[in-house]
Amino acid sequence: MISLTTKPNPSLLHHSFSTSQPFYPNKPFKNPNPNHTRRKPSSTTTVSVLQWNRKPELSGETPRVVVITSGKGGVGKTTTTANVGLSLARLGFSVVAIDADVGLRNLDLLLGLENRVNYTAVEVLNGDCRLDQALVRDKRWSNFELLCISKPRSKLQLGFGGKALIWVVDALKSRQEGCPDFILIDCPAGIDAGFITAITPANEAVLVTTPDITSLRDADRVTGLLECDGIKDIKMIVNRVRTDLIRGEDMMSVLDVQEMLGLALLGVIPEDSEVIRSTNRGYPLVLNKPPTLAGLAFEQAAWRLVEQDSMKAVMVEEEPKKRGFFSFFGG
């Protein structure tokens, strides 16, 4: 059995959730049917450790400038940025998400904000608008804001690079409304100029990967580039995990991925068909009620990001001659 655990915390309250149980942050758990006897966790139940009795403690100096990258396209960078960003906002932290993918920006679509992007960072740098005009505030959570680098199909100035993005981040730090707690940078795929621009102002990174060899090769390459750029705080999120394929030895386990890349584990996101629906609706997973397993996993990853915590995958023998399933434990 693969068990994903965090360091023990006496303030944790343990609850067992099936996929049909609702999850509402900052509200105490109530059994919807008090006369019903809760069954013991089985192979169809995900066991979560949810911290109801406290708010996560922000670690490190603010603003935390985090680049979310992977190298390979299609592994879930933008989905991670949207869901982790909104999870941070729901936890009470101010967040600015920067879509640094110039040619193929999609973060505004996933957030349902595409019709409200009137100005971009390029127009701010050209003096055509103020920074506060380019920031799009989410109506659902006012402490979450989006900033796009440029408009689709527009030619980006050749002079726009890492120094320009550093200026944008510095402007966010010194704005009158106050410095945000988190600045999340959605990095474009590849390791070309767009990648170099996106990672330049960051001081920590979240590497998104899937358990396949092509994604892992690219992730290993990106890890080396991040370290060469001086970013030492690198954590990874393993996305699109399917336990049925792992049991059949058709997919690498999270333990295998962690041993191959040697990175701290921020979160494990199970494969979820709801991702496509939420993307098409412009409604991130973490806002769903009741939540999906992937939504819960993103929320727990955001909690660990706040406290600079991590998970660890270990092998645990559950029953002889039987494969176990994933238990997701979070903080």
Side-chain angles (χ1 to χ4, degrees):
M1 172 181 172
I2 303 293
S3 176
L4 304 178
T5 62
T6 53
K7 294 178 287 186
N9 192 321
S11 64
L12 300 183
L13 298 180
H14 297 250
H15 296 295
S16 175
F17 286 88
S18 67
T19 55
S20 61
Q21 287 181 294
F23 169 70
Y24 304 100
N26 304 324
K27 289 186 179 180
F29 175 79
K30 293 182 180 180
N31 190 341
N33 186 0
N35 297 322
H36 174 69
T37 302
R38 180 175 295 175
R39 63 180 181 178
K40 295 181 180 180
S42 65
S43 60
T44 59
T45 302
T46 295
V47 179
S48 298
V49 181
L50 302 177
Q51 304 183 2
W52 303 92
N53 58 335
R54 71 180 181 92
K55 177 183 175 180
E57 298 177 4
L58 182 59
S59 177
E61 297 181 358
T62 56
R64 300 261 302 275
V65 185
V66 185
V67 61
I68 298 177
T69 183
S70 70
K72 189 176 187 298
V75 299
K77 293 184 298 296
T78 304
T79 301
T80 299
T81 305
N83 285 280
V84 170
L86 275 177
S87 294
L88 293 172
R90 297 176 74 196
L91 289 170
F93 301 102
S94 56
V95 181
V96 174
I98 300 177
D99 192 341
D101 195 335
V102 176
L104 301 171
R105 91 174 192 211
N106 289 314
L107 185 56
D108 55 332
L109 290 173
L110 267 67
L111 293 167
L113 302 176
E114 66 277 8
N115 294 327
R116 297 180 54 201
V117 179
N118 297 317
Y119 299 104
T120 64
V122 169
E123 279 127 342
V124 175
L125 292 169
N126 290 339
D128 298 329
C129 70
R130 303 185 308 273
L131 178 61
D132 62 304
Q133 292 177 305
L135 288 167
V136 180
R137 191 180 300 274
D138 195 300
K139 293 181 179 179
R140 297 161 295 198
W141 296 91
S142 60
N143 52 341
F144 181 90
E145 296 171 292
L146 170 68
L147 177 64
C148 296
I149 295 296
S150 68
K151 294 179 180 178
R153 300 182 181 180
S154 64
K155 292 184 178 180
L156 192 65
Q157 297 174 350
L158 294 177
F160 190 93
K163 291 184 178 179
L165 192 55
I166 289 176
W167 182 92
V168 171
V169 171
D170 289 340
L172 289 170
K173 293 178 181 178
S174 59
R175 62 177 182 167
Q176 293 181 349
E177 296 87 339
C179 174
D181 297 313
F182 286 90
I183 298 175
L184 304 181
I185 303 174
D186 184 19
C187 183
I191 54 174
D192 53 7
F195 168 81
I196 300 300
T197 297
I199 70 173
T200 300
N203 45 42
E204 54 187 295
V206 173
L207 186 66
V208 183
T209 184
T210 53
D212 60 82
I213 56 174
T214 55
S215 180
L216 292 175
R217 171 185 280 182
D218 293 349
D220 185 59
R221 172 64 172 154
V222 166
T223 301
L225 294 175
L226 291 171
E227 291 175 346
C228 289
D229 199 62
I231 302 176
K232 304 300 182 183
D233 187 355
I234 307 172
K235 294 183 175 66
M236 70 172 176
I237 287 180
V238 184
N239 194 21
R240 303 184 67 178
V241 174
R242 290 185 55 179
T243 55
D244 57 332
L245 294 181
I246 294 174
R247 284 196 298 267
E249 299 183 354
D250 295 318
M251 176 180 283
M252 281 183 285
S253 69
V254 178
L255 179 61
D256 294 332
V257 173
Q258 191 171 22
E259 289 179 346
M260 289 180 66
L261 295 180
L263 297 175
L265 186 59
L266 186 67
V268 177
I269 316 298
E271 181 74 60
D272 195 336
S273 59
E274 189 63 28
V275 172
I276 298 176
R277 298 188 187 97
S278 67
T279 298
N280 291 333
R281 290 185 299 147
Y283 196 80
L285 283 172
V286 294
L287 300 181
N288 285 3
K289 295 180 182 179
T292 63
L293 292 179
L296 280 173
F298 277 123
E299 288 183 333
Q300 294 181 357
W303 188 294
R304 295 185 197 98
L305 183 64
V306 171
E307 297 193 334
Q308 294 186 332
D309 200 356
S310 62
M311 308 169 69
K312 185 178 181 181
V314 294
M315 288 296 296
V316 178
E317 190 69 28
E318 185 179 13
E319 290 182 20
K321 299 180 181 180
K322 270 195 174 184
R323 292 280 180 177
F325 64 102
F326 272 98
S327 292
F328 297 95
F329 293 85

